[in-house]
Amino acid sequence: MTKNKYIAIATLILAALAVFLVLKSSNSTIKADFAVEDQASITKIFMSDKLNNKVTLKRVDETKWLVNDKYQARADGIDILMETVTQLRVKEPVTIAGRNNVIKWLASKSTKVEIYQTVYRINLFNKIKWFPHEKLTKVYYVGDETQDNNGTFMLMQGSDEPFICYIPGFRGFLSPRYTALESDWRNHAICDLKIGEIKSVRLEFPTAPDSSFEITRYDRNFELKALKNNQIINGYDTLKLLDFMSSFTNLNFEAFRNNMSKHDIDSITSQIPMAILTINDITGKAYKVKGFLKLAEVGSIDEVTGKEIFVDRDRFYGLVNDDKDFVFLQYFTFNQILKPISFFRPKRDKK
């Protein structure tokens, strides 16, 4: 009996100690569980910064995300963010001496991050899962980088202990990955069409109408027409035409420039476009790009001739998405598209 009595007392003491530790843990304001274990369960991420920028990234399916319920998200950006929120680790707590300053910085200059996941009201050993619903599971604040640029200050909501966080194997800081700017998350695609998905391509050069043309596909055949006189061009170079029609797979612009002043955008877009490109797919959807020359930086010099350059040779401006977005376009991408109709005419044999 005595032995059983001691065992019972020891059991009660251990149980009481366990309850004490659980309560202490639940009442603690030190929280450092930043990382999400199950990436596939993430349904939505909301971010906002101190400049009133806000963005909501919402999962549509396994590969597609929407930005603010309006635009397709950049796949590469989402991949980097998923890597960040799942591999995030705590390097160390902020020192006592620096804690107050870091908390002040986070209060005035940080990005709030809310992560929503699919959870189950009944989850038995991760095998029997019933009644799924979306739940806000993590809220934390992302601040500036540490002095050595290899860590980022972060603070969990409800905690008074900031931490220095990092990703193992990554040298650098993480705050740029948590941008709340809508434009940073939007897809840069103009179109992504294979030859079989294209009905017609029209390329107009307003200042060079003799060079303008339209290509229309009829089953497996293509018709090349000069726009100046609507003349059908026979005997065109088939390989060059097919190469041209293959240029609309994964066609992207470089960057949004909607943040330029309205005056500057209006001044540029009021000029005669250097080119107007219209692609129509077989479903009837049209993709249109208007290109405008971009002036070179003052004092730009040609490295070969030594003469001053007045027009930018790397980039030009563009209007896309039904003229709603003002963007940078690269000649590197568009040089294979901005061809005159003469490009398709076969070269005559020299005699």
Side-chain angles (χ1 to χ4, degrees):
M1 291 292 294
T2 304
K3 183 178 180 181
N4 291 336
K5 181 179 178 181
Y6 286 137
I7 292 174
I9 292 173
T11 302
L12 288 173
I13 292 173
L14 290 174
L17 180 61
V19 170
F20 170 77
L21 291 174
V22 169
L23 291 175
K24 182 179 179 181
S25 175
S26 64
N27 291 329
S28 174
T29 57
I30 299 177
K31 300 178 182 179
D33 53 337
F34 293 92
V36 175
E37 292 185 4
D38 184 8
Q39 173 182 322
S41 70
I42 299 175
T43 58
K44 184 171 64 179
I45 297 178
F46 170 79
M47 292 178 284
S48 62
D49 61 25
K50 300 301 182 180
L51 298 176
N52 255 353
N53 296 305
K54 299 178 182 180
V55 66
T56 300
L57 306 174
K58 186 179 294 185
R59 186 193 293 272
V60 178
D61 55 37
E62 291 184 2
T63 59
K64 185 178 179 181
W65 289 69
L66 287 181
V67 181
N68 290 337
D69 291 321
K70 296 184 293 183
Y71 308 106
Q72 187 172 339
R74 290 171 41 227
D76 59 333
I78 294 294
D79 288 344
I80 291 174
L81 183 61
M82 290 297 104
E83 174 194 59
T84 305
V85 300
T86 56
Q87 298 186 20
L88 197 60
R89 298 293 182 268
V90 171
K91 181 182 290 186
E92 58 188 354
V94 174
T95 62
I96 295 176
R99 182 183 301 162
N100 290 339
N101 283 336
V102 170
I103 291 176
K104 288 179 182 178
W105 293 338
L106 288 166
S108 62
K109 187 182 178 183
S110 64
T111 298
K112 182 181 182 181
V113 180
E114 298 179 2
I115 298 178
Y116 295 77
Q117 295 175 262
T118 296
V119 298
Y120 298 85
R121 300 188 190 282
I122 296 177
N123 186 350
L124 301 178
F125 312 108
N126 276 330
K127 293 184 178 180
I128 299 176
K129 300 178 180 181
W130 292 341
F131 310 115
H133 66 285
E134 184 181 67
K135 181 180 179 181
L136 174 62
T137 56
K138 292 188 184 294
V139 182
Y140 55 84
Y141 298 85
V142 180
D144 286 335
E145 66 275 14
T146 55
Q147 192 170 2
D148 64 2
N149 290 330
N150 286 321
T152 304
F153 294 113
M154 295 189 181
L155 177 71
M156 292 291 296
Q157 181 170 278
S159 173
D160 54 11
E161 185 75 33
F163 290 88
I164 297 173
C165 295
Y166 76 114
I167 292 177
F170 172 74
R171 292 182 61 83
F173 50 95
L174 306 174
S175 48
R177 301 186 177 198
Y178 289 97
T179 172
L181 291 173
E182 179 184 82
S183 60
D184 287 344
W185 294 103
R186 289 182 56 188
N187 194 327
H188 290 186
I190 296 172
C191 66
D192 187 11
L193 299 171
K194 299 177 182 178
I195 292 181
E197 299 172 317
I198 300 173
K199 177 59 179 176
S200 67
V201 176
R202 183 183 183 95
L203 183 55
E204 303 169 70
F205 298 98
T207 59
D210 288 345
S211 298
S212 304
F213 63 90
E214 183 173 36
I215 298 173
T216 304
R217 185 170 67 88
Y218 296 98
D219 294 326
R220 297 184 179 180
N221 299 314
F222 294 92
E223 177 187 270
L224 175 63
K225 180 175 67 176
L227 291 180
K228 184 177 181 181
N229 53 17
N230 288 327
Q231 179 183 356
I232 305 300
I233 307 300
N234 297 312
Y236 55 77
D237 189 315
T238 304
L239 289 179
K240 286 185 176 181
L241 186 141
L242 290 175
D243 283 343
F244 174 83
M245 295 296 286
S246 300
S247 302
F248 305 102
T249 301
N250 196 27
L251 181 63
N252 300 298
F253 57 86
E254 180 186 356
F256 287 98
R257 298 297 293 159
N258 294 325
N259 59 343
M260 289 178 60
S261 70
K262 187 177 185 302
H263 175 271
D264 288 344
I265 294 177
D266 290 344
S267 176
I268 294 168
T269 56
S270 64
Q271 300 173 17
I272 297 174
M274 57 179 280
I276 302 173
L277 173 69
T278 307
I279 308 121
N280 291 287
D281 67 19
I282 56 177
T283 69
K285 183 176 180 179
Y287 307 82
K288 194 167 187 177
V289 182
K290 293 180 183 177
F292 302 87
L293 289 175
K294 178 181 180 296
L295 298 180
E297 297 293 331
V298 176
S300 296
I301 302 297
D302 186 299
E303 295 180 358
V304 177
T305 65
K307 296 181 179 180
E308 187 174 1
I309 301 171
F310 297 98
V311 176
D312 194 315
R313 295 181 177 178
D314 297 319
R315 298 176 179 85
F316 59 103
Y317 294 114
L319 283 173
V320 298
N321 298 327
D322 297 324
D323 293 351
K324 294 176 183 176
D325 290 308
F326 189 62
V327 299
F328 266 156
L329 302 166
Q330 290 187 353
Y331 284 111
F332 178 80
T333 300
F334 277 83
N335 275 343
Q336 59 187 346
I337 294 173
L338 298 177
K339 302 293 187 182
I341 192 171
S342 59
F343 172 76
F344 302 103
R345 300 182 191 274
K347 294 181 179 179
R348 298 183 181 277
D349 295 333
K350 294 183 179 179
K351 295 184 179 180

